[in-house]
Amino acid sequence: MKLLGTQTSPYVRKARLVLLEKNIAHEYVIDPPSEPGSLVARVNPLGRIPALILDDDFCVFDSSVIADYADTLNDSPILIPRDDALARLRVKRWEALADGIMDSAIVVRNEVLRPAEQQSAALLDLHNTAVSHALEYVAGLLGEQEWCEGDTITLADLALVSALIYLDLRQAERDWRGKHANLATWFDRISQRDSVIASR
Ligand SMILES: N[C@@H](CCC(=O)N[C@@H](CS)C(=O)NCC(=O)O)C(=O)O
């Protein structure tokens, strides 16, 4: 299988971390959708990354669907609980929180790339505030736990680290470590995993 993406997309990183954590063989292809001749436009009608092309050319998108699918391919580790509906819901809810941080950070990124006089202060404020509230919320949920959910790594951890790496990349001025020391400790620990190192 081939994973199409870029080095900066947080959704791509999340999907890639799932493949790496589960040791699923794949070719990682850097393919920015905006580049002329990008394969993405041909395989994903939405023109977005990540796109996972299976060996029979079937294309899987978006990152949550890729993560869900990839998690069924083997059990080591199981990243999305299968039998316990509530545990599964909780992991997917973490993923939604992390994805929401990514969504808002990307709105901010796209807005600040526009000429200053065309930028909407209200839009920037809305999405920056959403990121701040979500960070406060996830820091509260995490507390001093080693993992976001339960006693082992799950998709929740992979989604959250992907969102935070993106914030560091695009909003370096945001002092989330200063406000949420527990998140910083958790981030430093998970950043030492081989998968996270390989994804950077
Ligand atoms: N909800 C989607 C979001 C994917 C997405 O928006 N990806 C962005 C990159 S971060 C994209 O491909 N944008 C189109 C472009 O870059 O031209 C997912 O989780 O996969």
Side-chain angles (χ1 to χ4, degrees), residues 55 65 147 167:
D55 293 342
V65 182
W147 306 106
L167 283 185

Side-chain angles (χ1 to χ4, degrees), residues 6 8-12 14 32-35 40 44 46-51 61-66 95 99 102-103 106 166:
T6 62
T8 52
S9 165
Y11 311 100
V12 170
K14 178 181 64 169
S34 53
E35 292 277 309
V40 178
N44 179 356
L46 299 169
R48 291 188 193 150
I49 47 170
F61 47 85
D62 61 18
S63 61
S64 297
V65 182
I66 294 171
E95 184 188 21
D99 283 7
M102 299 174 197
D103 295 344
I106 284 173
Y166 187 73

Side-chain angles (χ1 to χ4, degrees), residues 95 160 183:
E95 184 188 21
L160 184 58
L183 213 48

Side-chain angles (χ1 to χ4, degrees), residues 28-29 31 33 37 46 61 69 81 91-92 96 100 115 127 138 145 150 154 157 175 177:
Y28 177 44
V29 181
D31 189 11
L46 299 169
F61 47 85
Y69 167 71
V91 167
K92 297 291 285 180
H127 287 279
V138 296
Q145 293 165 185
T154 66
D157 301 281
D175 182 25
R177 288 177 177 78

Side-chain angles (χ1 to χ4, degrees), residues 33-165:
S34 53
E35 292 277 309
S38 157
L39 183 55
V40 178
R42 280 180 274 147
V43 296
N44 179 356
L46 299 169
R48 291 188 193 150
I49 47 170
L52 183 71
I53 307 176
L54 305 186
D55 293 342
D56 63 359
D57 283 343
F58 186 78
C59 181
V60 185
F61 47 85
D62 61 18
S63 61
S64 297
V65 182
I66 294 171
D68 235 311
Y69 167 71
D71 197 42
T72 63
L73 296 181
N74 68 46
D75 293 356
S76 51
I78 292 175
L79 293 170
I80 308 172
R82 295 179 189 161
D83 304 328
D84 179 340
L86 192 56
R88 181 179 175 83
L89 168 71
R90 294 176 75 96
V91 167
K92 297 291 285 180
R93 183 171 177 265
W94 271 100
E95 184 188 21
L97 282 164
D99 283 7
I101 293 172
M102 299 174 197
D103 295 344
S104 279
I106 284 173
V107 171
V108 170
R109 163 75 179 163
N110 291 338
E111 194 63 11
V112 300
L113 286 177
R114 284 153 52 84
E117 67 281 6
Q118 290 175 24
Q119 292 175 21
S120 162
L123 188 74
L124 287 170
D125 185 52
L126 181 74
H127 287 279
N128 275 322
T129 303
V131 172
S132 301
H133 284 168
L135 287 175
E136 212 171 296
Y137 189 83
V138 296
L141 267 188
L142 181 68
E144 300 309 320
Q145 293 165 185
E146 183 174 358
W147 306 106
C148 290
E149 199 57 54
D151 54 8
T152 183
I153 192 163
T154 66
L155 176 63
D157 301 281
L158 304 180
L160 184 58
V161 75
S162 302
L164 293 174
I165 289 173

